[in-house]
Amino acid sequence: MSSLRQRYLPLFLRAMGWWLIATGITSAQNRPAPVDSVQAVTLGQLAAGEAELLDLTHSLDEKSPFWPGDDYQPFELKTIATLEKNGVSSKAFSMPEHFGTHIDAPCHFERGQLTLDEIASEDLFAPGVVVDISLKGESDADYRLTVADLTDWETIHGPIPRRAIVLLNTGWARFWKSNVRYRNQDAQGRMHFPGFSAEAASWLIKERNIRGIGIDTLSIDYGPSKDFTVHHQINGAGRYGLENVANLDQLPARNFFLIVAPIKITSGTGGPTRMFAIQPRTSK
């Protein structure tokens, strides 16, 4: 019996080892990907056309909507040189910092926070998610994103990645071509459009450690706001806001990356921003 055990035990252990390896591989293949993961896209894939690039930026002209403040002016573009007269074509533009698709630097609402040029470059590249409240915004122009909305989103899509940028699709971008409709002011001059709630902003900062938030309206605060609590929450935590973001209805709920490329103004409180979403190509 001892000789048989010595002869066959190594074979048995070897067979068990191969079985464990094989079942481990099978279970790993069948195991769902972690819900907090984001599918990586390389620059090589992007250059080769194997990834999709979506522009999230509105084009600017003199009809573009802007904040109705006393010293806010519409976008202006004028010609300062022509090919016929100067041998070169050149124009000059003027606009407020917070105009069109733009970024609110942390110093926008809080003292001692980073100015636009001080935001770290790595914080302008991040995984993104889109929370869609367009149906709620359609029935209630003053709707504010709640913590329950966020936890409901996570029940379906998985946890919001840490250090992500959370974008809110309110459906308001459909009014971009009309300054009057986009502002949606009542007889007292109060604007009405959806936004984040202070509770949701605080939860995203404390529970998900986000880099920033963005929205497709004039403000991350909802239209009637007078105290701008969301701005104070976000900027006070050293985070930034993105406003008037375009094409959010064309993005999936998650699994894309964002490139946020604002103009670099020394001591700026914000500035016009070109934004792109990068995601795996779903079809060729």
Side-chain angles (χ1 to χ4, degrees):
M1 181 66 69
S2 177
S3 61
L4 288 175
R5 186 179 295 115
Q6 291 176 353
R7 180 178 179 182
Y8 289 108
L9 183 58
L11 294 176
F12 174 77
L13 292 176
R14 186 179 301 172
M16 283 295 296
W18 281 111
W19 180 82
L20 289 171
I21 291 171
T23 55
I25 291 173
T26 301
S27 62
Q29 289 174 339
N30 294 331
R31 190 181 303 125
V35 292
D36 200 30
S37 66
V38 180
Q39 185 174 353
V41 178
T42 68
L43 291 179
Q45 287 176 305
L46 183 60
E50 297 171 357
E52 295 177 335
L53 187 69
L54 178 64
D55 194 344
L56 303 179
T57 319
H58 286 295
S59 296
L60 299 178
D61 58 37
E62 68 281 357
K63 297 180 181 179
S64 298
F66 60 97
W67 193 262
D70 293 339
D71 294 321
Y72 284 76
Q73 300 296 324
F75 179 84
E76 181 181 4
L77 183 69
K78 64 179 182 179
T79 300
I80 58 176
T82 65
L83 291 170
E84 293 77 15
K85 182 178 180 180
N86 309 101
V88 62
S89 181
S90 184
K91 298 180 181 182
F93 66 87
S94 64
M95 56 190 265
E97 289 177 316
H98 303 269
F99 194 101
T101 304
H102 69 273
I103 189 171
D104 289 351
C107 71
H108 184 37
F109 268 77
E110 296 293 331
R111 295 184 184 276
Q113 293 289 352
L114 297 176
T115 58
L116 181 57
D117 57 310
E118 293 173 333
I119 298 175
S121 298
E122 56 266 28
D123 283 335
L124 299 174
F125 180 79
V129 303
V130 174
V131 180
D132 188 345
I133 60 164
S134 56
L135 292 180
K136 294 178 179 179
E138 188 172 346
S139 60
D140 180 6
D142 294 335
Y143 188 81
R144 284 174 281 183
L145 178 76
T146 67
V147 174
D149 290 327
L150 292 170
T151 55
D152 288 346
W153 185 96
E154 290 195 329
T155 299
I156 299 171
H157 303 289
I160 294 168
R162 300 183 70 79
R163 304 297 290 156
I165 298 171
V166 177
L167 302 173
L168 188 58
N169 175 25
T170 73
W172 218 251
R174 68 188 186 276
F175 303 129
W176 174 254
K177 294 294 184 179
S178 171
N179 195 6
V180 172
R181 186 65 183 88
Y182 198 69
R183 289 178 176 177
N184 198 29
Q185 292 174 285
D186 59 25
Q188 288 73 42
R190 292 173 301 188
M191 294 184 289
H192 297 275
F193 49 75
F196 289 82
S197 69
E199 294 78 15
S202 177
W203 187 87
L204 287 169
I205 294 166
K206 295 176 181 178
E207 302 298 329
R208 295 297 177 264
N209 193 25
I210 57 161
R211 278 187 168 93
I213 61 175
I215 197 168
D216 55 358
T217 69
L218 280 167
S219 173
I220 53 178
D221 278 283
Y222 81 136
S225 178
K226 294 182 179 180
D227 54 12
F228 300 100
T229 55
V230 175
H231 277 85
H232 285 292
Q233 288 272 3
I234 293 296
N235 289 165
R239 272 65 165 190
Y240 56 78
L242 299 160
E243 295 167 335
N244 301 317
V245 183
N247 297 324
L248 293 183
D249 59 336
Q250 298 182 37
L251 282 173
R254 61 178 301 140
N255 289 337
F256 60 90
F257 289 93
L258 290 171
I259 297 175
V260 180
I263 187 172
K264 195 172 184 179
I265 303 173
T266 301
S267 74
T269 69
T273 298
R274 196 72 183 263
M275 285 183 61
F276 298 99
I278 306 171
Q279 59 185 323
R281 185 173 293 280
T282 54
S283 61
K284 294 185 178 181

